[in-house]
Every structure is written in structure tokens, then in C-alpha cells.
């Protein structure tokens, strides 16, 4: 009965067998130099019989001695050792780099036999030659294909082997320098990423602010202004921007004086420029990088979970995302730049990763760096470095070890420092809506805070359902217009609705900034929230109306083919609702100061601060739509800088999540992952798993396309690849016994068949190919597929509970699990199979040519190619269903697998 432990032990046996196979002739721990001391007092004067018996391979080995090895002196104990320690040369316990991987046909330099046999065995294991792929092992790999899952275990094993060679071949000061340089590569990538993200965020903030203001006017040359300046920079130094002579509205520039004419001209320019910006962003995405659409966070979660999406983090995606984000936010549509900035940060990190092959060639290490880099996006979006680290931990990362948290902290801090150095708003603050409160809260305010938490959870649940209904409706309607036309329609509708309501007319960041502000510190009250008489029923109605309209506009905007985030719109809607509740409380306290709840208020001091209600409402709605908790509390605390408000924020966020979970346990990002059918298995999410054996849902051997150990030719294997679009094939001994021998992926099989038919081998199509040892086979005229086959796949008994199999997929990031009973293959379970079971997909998989062999049958995918054509293959099925790869990737192709 094969199990995970048996597979693990098989791999351990493989390592030992590897070591012995490559060192038997020259490094046998029992094969002593006749003139060397064996450490047991023998002077080495042996007879011929002793030497003959010693060389007998069947002779029993001498008993092991556990006597301690004599301690060597330091590098200064003898003058001759100083140069050796500096250069790493000489005869040391660690061999030189050249001695670690000699050719198998040449004897290795004989090592000193000092020490016990056990110590010499350990030394031999450390000095093992490269992996001999003809014995049991995971097999060689070529680059991962697009829309496939990575092998986490293989990637981490490859990294451990690389570090083993590095640390045991590098000695002396030069060796430590090489080790330090290798360890510093990750930090160089993260620091460069932080610097780049800080610069890009500052540029996006400044440009977005300018284009948003261009919709209502421009900065003239009066008073030293220039056209490229936003209103805040043009009127820098003026407390009241309405009295700034340098800023001119479009109606003033055209000489319109009548009230009706001014309103019409301003409305026209606002509508025209808003739609123009939105259409420009949509065209950029369509023509240059379709993966620049949306927020990118669902795809980032999927990529960090071990999935390959080529070009998603490419250079063109970075450029298109940055430019399109500026245009989309400036259009005034109900979207934000916070989520897309996370995508921008990961694109920057992926660009710098390519400078270091040790990182770029390992998909697991690459994802650790991307997890750390994602924190810098939230850091510059909110001016919250610690919140960014927690956001990456709580929302994005699939695997987040302790070292990644420290790396995230460094990257987020670097980005925040760079943004602070640029100071894009000339306010000394990292973000426009950063605020500080000078008053505390009262006990009776917990009631409205709880109410805001309930409203935030209801908003989150309703918003996710509405947004998903809109997305499903657009997908099911065949006559619906194209993505650019959709953007034109939504942008026009948004501009028509936004302009009459002055709360919705402004940019979302400016709106949130004014809603958060404390009236005693607000300098330019452009919305009139702090003027005398502002606390009225009319203001409350306008605020609630803006929140309701913003809800529907955000529901139809998020999902369009433009860069768009949902964090800032949710905060704006929550801030509008919270400010309305704060004004209601302020009016109540003002009209009934003797009410029992208000007796704790001090006289002649404002008891209610509506701005605090706005920020608590924003936190509640953000928690309701994303289902984040700790990171939201920290982000809001870093924004306010007021420790007393941590408890109210925590209470509202907690209640909001509870209420939102009553609607659905999926947040907005998880809902889009499910909608797009990305094979993402959250290793932290508590999903109901059926209490059934895994054998009930696995693809049984009768439905699998399997390969036998012998009886194949290059032509027959090529025809199998052409006939079956599966990602891989189990290998069995023969059709009758079906003893499991291993598993070979489609990429490795196609690559080996392709290269064997090309020079220098140029094997004919009728060349025999086999997957098991053939002692009489001529390696020059046959094709041995064992080096490319995983001979130690992870297996489970077919009667294993499904919960155990799901845990394997979630915790280990597996692509597939084979089921065997007493070594006989029973079936196959793939990551996509588990995804269907856990997510309860409504659609039924099309079997195509059977559900065998590979990872899935064919069905409609949620991913769209950059050329606009739908991907007809399943996410883990081959993209070119039914054919051999024309140009199989080279063994080093995985270096750019994410691009």
C-alpha cells in the first residue's frame, strides 16, 4: 500500500542510492589508503590478504566507531593554514567546487580518511555528485506551460540542492562572500521594488490629481501657474481655493457668464473628458495587455497559490496598468487605485527578479518574493507599511513563512520612505486622506459604531451578490456589446449621475479626505460639511443618496476591462454613510443635550466628531466587501494616528465580517476567483469537505489514459499526445498487473520526443521508447524515458478519506495525487477535481475524450487570452487541445514562466 510516507522514504532511498552510485569506486568509506591511519591505532601496515579482503565487495564492513574526531586547530594555529582559509583551497573537510560534481567516468580525488567511518559516510553524502536521473527520483523538468500549476515540492527540493552545493563547496573568505552575495539577492530585489513602487505611486498620484481637475478647469499662467499643474498645486498657499486667480474653469475660459450656460458648459466638459479618459484606458488594456484589467488581486492570489499565468506580470502589463490606472481613476468612475497598485508592485518585483537567475529559475522562491513585494503596493496606497505587510499575510499569500514577513516589512518600508521623499501632495502626508483626530470617543457611541458595522456587512454581502449577478449576466448575454463599448456606457452613466451631486463629482480620494477630516483642522471646506448649518436633513439626504448611487455604480464598474480597484469606492461609500450617521448623532446631541446618554459630554466642547464615524464606516464597508480584519484595523489606525479609536474600529470590523459571512463566506476577490474558475485552493479557508473516501471522486484507472513500461515507439507516443489533450499520464508495468511505476507530464514527454528526433540524435519515428529498465537496450538506438518520469509520485490508498487528500493539495500545493493499493494503480485525483468538489461548481465537466490521463477534460475557462479569443481548454488542460507542442520549451524555459 503506497502512501505519502512511503513516497517520502522512497525519495530518501533515492538520495542514498544516488550518493553511493556516484562515489562507489573512489570514495568508499571502507576503502582505506594502505598508508593512512584509520583512526583506531592501526599503523596501516596490512598484509596482502588484508588488502584482498578489504577490496572484496561481499566482505562485511568493519564495525562503526562513534569515537569523537580530534578537534582541529583554528586558522591561526599554523601559519600555513591562513592562506588556505582565505582562499578556500587545500585539503579540508569540505571539497572544492570542482570536486563536488566530477564526471561519473573519472575517479574523484581521494579524500583523507581521518575520522570514524560514520563521519566519512556523512562526508560522502555531503559531497554527492549530481542527481543520477536513471534511479528513482522526481525526474527532470522543463518549463511550466501557461495556465498550469507548479510543483511546490520539486521547486523547494531544487532550491535545497542548490544551497547544499553552494554551502558545501564554498569555503574560506571567498566562499563566505559568495554565500553573502547569494543571500543578498532577495534583499536587492525587494529594495529596488520598493524604490520603483514609491516612484510610480507618486507619479500616479500627481498625474491622477491633475487629470481629475482638468475635467472642471485648468491652471493658467496667472500668478506663475502652468497648464500641467493640478488645482491644489496651482493654488498652493491659498486657504480658500475658490479665491485662487490662477485656476480657471472652462466656462470662465470660454467667457460664459450666465448661470445656465456655466452649468451646461461645465457639465459638457466634465462628461466629455470623463468618457475620453475611460475609453483611453479601455483601449490601452485591449490593445497592449488584457491582464492589466480589473484590480489583479484575484489573479495574484492564484499566482501566489502556485499557478502560471504568462504575461500577467510582464513589462507591457506594468506599463499598461500604470497608464490605464491614471486614466481610469481620473475619469471619475467608482473605482480605486489601491488594489491595482498591488499588481503594479508585483510587476516591478518580477522585472527585478529576472536579474537574478537563482530566483527567477525557481517558482517557489519567486512567489515568496512576490508575496513580500505585494506589501509595498498597499504601503504606498494607504501610507501604511505595517498594514501592507498584514494585507499580504491575510489576503494574498498562499505560503507566508517568517522570513517573508521580514522581507515584506523591508519592501513596504522602502516604498513608504520613497513616497514620503517625493511628497506628491506637498502636505507632508503619504496619502491625501490621511488625518489625525484630537478628541476621543464616548461610551454611548458604541451603539452607532455597531450599527455601522452591521450596515458595512450588509453592504458587503449585497455588493458581492450584485457584482456577481452583473458579471454572470454579461457573460450569458451573447448580444451584449464589447468591452470598450461597455466602458463607454458605464463611464457616460457615471458622469451623468456624478456631476449634479457635488459629493460624487469630486475624485474619490478628495471625497474620502474631506469626509474623514475633523472640522477644527479642515482648511478648505470644498463640500461645505463644516460650515454653519451644514448639520441638516438636506446634507444627510445628499450623503445617503450619494452612498446608494455609488453602490450601484461601483457594482457595474468593478469587472470592466479597465484597471479598477474596489477598496477606495467601498471606503467612500462607507465614509458617506458614516458621516451621515455622525451628523444625525450631532444633531441629536445638539437638540437634546440633557439626554441620559449625552451627560458624559463636556460643555462648550464638541461631543460628536462626524469624521470619526466616517472612518469607522469606511472600515466596516471595507471589511464587509473584502472580509479582511486585522489588516484593515491596522491600516485605519495608521491613517488616523489615534490609538483610542482602535477599539471602535475593531468592533465595527468584527461585526461587519460576521454579518457579511452570513451572506457568503467568500469575499469579493474569492468570488471573482470562483467566477473565473481559477484553480485556487485556499489553505487557510475552512470549507465543508464531504466525509467520503477519495476513491469516490477520483478518476478511476478504467477512465485513465495510461502508458505501459514497454511497447512504445516515438511515433506511437506522438500519436498518443495528438489524440489526448491531457497534462500527464500515469505509467504502469503492463495492462494486466498495472503496477504503478511513475507519472510523466505532457511537457516533459513532448520535449523529449521532440529533441530526440532532432540533431544530434535524430532518432527515427520507429525508435523503441520505454519507461522501465531494459538491460539489453542500446542507449544509442533507443529512447529511455526514465530521466523525465517522476518515479516517486505522491500516492495514497484509494480508501483514504477525502479530507486527507484535500489537505495534501492545500498544504503541499500538489498538482495531482495517484491512488494505489499494494502498488496497483487505482486512480488519479487532480487539483481541479478538488476545486470542483470544494466549490460546488454548477457546470459539469465535458469529458471530451474521457476524463483520463491528464488533469482535466475540456471545459470553458474563465481566463481570456491576450488576443481576445476564449481559452477553450480547462485551466489545467493543454491549451492546444489535441496536438503535440510545435516548439516545446527548453529545459530553462521556466525562468520566465510568469511572463
Amino acid at each position: 500500500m503506497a502512501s505519502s510516507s512511503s513516497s517520502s522514504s522512497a525519495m530518501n532511498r533515492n538520495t542514498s542510492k544516488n550518493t553511493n552510485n556516484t562515489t562507489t569506486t573512489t570514495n568508499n568509506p571502507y576503502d582505506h589508503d594502505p598508508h593512512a591511519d584509520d583512526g583506531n591505532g592501526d599503523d596501516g601496515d596490512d598484509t596482502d590478504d588484508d588488502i584482498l579482503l578489504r577490496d572484496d565487495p561481499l566482505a562485511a564492513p568493519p564495525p562503526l566507531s562513534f569515537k569523537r574526531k580530534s578537534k582541529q586547530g583554528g586558522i591561526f594555529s599554523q601559519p600555513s593554514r591562513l592562506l588556505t582559509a582565505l582562499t578556500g583551497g587545500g585539503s579540508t573537510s569540505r571539497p572544492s567546487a570542482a570536486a563536488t560534481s566530477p564526471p561519473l567516468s573519472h575517479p574523484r580525488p581521494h579524500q583523507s580518511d581521518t575520522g570514524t567511518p560514520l563521519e566519512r559516510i556523512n562526508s560522502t553524502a555531503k559531497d554527492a555528485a549530481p542527481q543520477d536521473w536513471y534511479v528513482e527520483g522526481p525526474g527532470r523538468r522543463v518549463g511550466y506551460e501557461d495556465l498550469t500549476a507548479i510543483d511546490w515540492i520539486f521547486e523547494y527540493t531544487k532550491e535545497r540542492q542548490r544551497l547544499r552545493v553552494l554551502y558545501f563547496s564554498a569555503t574560506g573568505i571567498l566562499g563566505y562572500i559568495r554565500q553573502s552575495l547569494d543571500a543578498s539577492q532577495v534583499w536587492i530585489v525587494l529594495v529596488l521594488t520598493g524604490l520603483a513602487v514609491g516612484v510610480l505611486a507618486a507619479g500616479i498620484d500627481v498625474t491622477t490629481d491633475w487629470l481629475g481637475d482638468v475635467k472642471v478647469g485648468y491652471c493658467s499662467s496667472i500668478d506663475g501657474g502652468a497648464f500641467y499643474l493640478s488645482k491644489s498645486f496651482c493654488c498652493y498657499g491659498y486657504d480658500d481655493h475658490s479665491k485662487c486667480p490662477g485656476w480657471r474653469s472652462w466656462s470662465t475660459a470660454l467667457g460664459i457668464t450666465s448661470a445656465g450656460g456655466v452649468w451646461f458648459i461645465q457639465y459638457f466638459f466634465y462628461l466629455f473628458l470623463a468618457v475620453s479618459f475611460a475609453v483611453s484606458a479601455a483601449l490601452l488594456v485591449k490593445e497592449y495587455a488584457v491582464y492589466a484589467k480589473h484590480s489583479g488581486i484575484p489573479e495574484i492570489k492564484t499566482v501566489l497559490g502556485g499557478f502560471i499565468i504568462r504575461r500577467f506580470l510582464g513589462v507591457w502589463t506594468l506599463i499598461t496598468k500604470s497608464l490605464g490606472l491614471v486614466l481610469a481613476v481620473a475619469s471619475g468612475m467608482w473605482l480605486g487605485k489601491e488594489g491595482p497598485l498591488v499588481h503594479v508592485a508585483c510587476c516591478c518585483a518580477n522585472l527585478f527578479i529576472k536579474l537574478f537567475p537563482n530566483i527567477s529559475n525557481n517558482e517557489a522562491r519567486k512567489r515568496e518574493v512576490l508575496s513580500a513585494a505585494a506589501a509595498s503596493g498597499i504601503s504606498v496606497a494607504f501610507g501604511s507599511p505595517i498594514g501592507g505587510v498584514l494585507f499580504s499575510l491575510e489576503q494574498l499569500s498562499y505560503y507566508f513563512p517568517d522570513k517573508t514577513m521580514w522581507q515584506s516589512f523591508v519592501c513596504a518600508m522602502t516604498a513608504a520612505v520613497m513616497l514620503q521623499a517625493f511628497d506628491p501632495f506637498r502636505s507632508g502626508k503619504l496619502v491625501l486622506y490621511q488625518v489625525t483626530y484630537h478628541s476621543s470617543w464616548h461610551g454611548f457611541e458604541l451603539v452607532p459604531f455597531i450599527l455601522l458595522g452591521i450596515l458595512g456587512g450588509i453592504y458587503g454581502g449585497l455588493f458581492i451578490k450584485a457584482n456577481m449577478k452583473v458579471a454572470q449576466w454579461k457573460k450569458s448575454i451573447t448580444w451584449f456589446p464589447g468591452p470598450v463599448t461597455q466602458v463607454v456606457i458605464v463611464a457616460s452613466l457615471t458622469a451623468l449621475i456624478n456631476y449634479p451631486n457635488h459629493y460624487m463629482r469630486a475624485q474619490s480620494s478628495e471625497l474620502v479626505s474631506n469626509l474623514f477630516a475633523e472640522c477644527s483642522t479642515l482648511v478648505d471646506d470644498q463640500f461645505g460639511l463644516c460650515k454653519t448649518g451644514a448639520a441638516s436633513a438636506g446634507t444627510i439626504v445628499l450623503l445617503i443618496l450619494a452612498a446608494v448611487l455609488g453602490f450601484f455604480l461601483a457594482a457595474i464598474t468593478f469587472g470592466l476591462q479597465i484597471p479598477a480597484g474596489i477598496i477606495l469606492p467601498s471606503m467612500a461609500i462607507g465614509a458617506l454613510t458614516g458621516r451621515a450617521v455622525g451628523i444625525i448623532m450631532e444633531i441629536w446631541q445638539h437638540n437634546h443635550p440633557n439626554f441620559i446618554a449625552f451627560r458624559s459630554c463636556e460643555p462648550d466642547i464638541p461631543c460628536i466628531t462626524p469624521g470619526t464615524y466616517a472612518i469607522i464606516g469606511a472600515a466596516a464597508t471595507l471589511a464587509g466587501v473584502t472580509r479582511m480584519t486585522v489588516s484593515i484595523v491596522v491600516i485605519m489606525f495608521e491613517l488616523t494616528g489615534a490609538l483610542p479609536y482602535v477599539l471602535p474600529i475593531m468592533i465595527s470590523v468584527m461585526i461587519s465580517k460576521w454579518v457579511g459571512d452570513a451572506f457568503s463566506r467568500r469575499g469579493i476577490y474569492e468570488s471573482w476567483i470562483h467566477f473565473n474558475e481559477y484553480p485556487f485552493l485556499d489553505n487557510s479557508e475552512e470549507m465543508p469537505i464531504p466525509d467520503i473516501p477519495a476513491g469516490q471522486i477520483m478518476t478511476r484507472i478504467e477512465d485513465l489514459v495510461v502508458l505501459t513500461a514497454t511497447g512504445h515507439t516515438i511515433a506511437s507516443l506522438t500519436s498518443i499526445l495528438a489524440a489526448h489533450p491531457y497534462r500527464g499520464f500515469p505509467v504502469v508495468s503492463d495492462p494486466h498487473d498495472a503496477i504503478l511505476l511513475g507519472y510523466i507530464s505532457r511537457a516533459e514527454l513532448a520535449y523529449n520526443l521532440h529533441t530526440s528526433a532532432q540533431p544530434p540524435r535524430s532518432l527515427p519515428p520507429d525508435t523503441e521508447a520505454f519507461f522501465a529498465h531494459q538491460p539489453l537496450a542500446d542507449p544509442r538506438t533507443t529512447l529511455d524515458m526514465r530521466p523525465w518520469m517522476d518515479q516517486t509520485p505522491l500516492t495514497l490508498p484509494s480508501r483514504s478519506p477525502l479530507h486527507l487528500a484535500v489537505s495534501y493539495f492545500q498544504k503541499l500545493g500538489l498538482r495531482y495525487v495517484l491512488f494505489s493499493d499494494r502498488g496497483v494503480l487505482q486512480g488519479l485525483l487532480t487539483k481541479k477535481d478538488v476545486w470542483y468538489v470544494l466549490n460546488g461548481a454548477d457546470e459539469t465537466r465535458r469529458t471530451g475524450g474521457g476524463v483520463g490521463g491528464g488533469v482535466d477534460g475540456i471545459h470553458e475557462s474563465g481566463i481570456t487570452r491576450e488576443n481576445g479569443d476564449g481559452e477553450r481548454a480547462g485551466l489545467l488542460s493543454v491549451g492546444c487541445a489535441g496536438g503535440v507542442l510545435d516548439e516545446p520549451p527548453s529545459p530553462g524555459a521556466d525562468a520566465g514562466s510568469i511572463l
Side-chain angles (χ1 to χ4, degrees), residues 23 146 213 277 388 423 454 499 516 542 549 563 592 703 894:
T23 60
D146 193 18
D213 290 337
F277 293 155
D423 193 12
I454 296 174
Y499 189 81
F516 283 1
L542 284 177
L549 293 176
H592 304 279
D703 301 320
D894 59 345

Side-chain angles (χ1 to χ4, degrees), residues 212-233:
D213 290 337
V214 165
K215 293 184 300 184
V216 296
Y218 68 96
C219 184
S220 64
S221 57
I222 301 175
D223 201 15
F227 179 80
Y228 55 81
L229 295 178
S230 64
K231 187 175 182 179
S232 59
F233 281 94

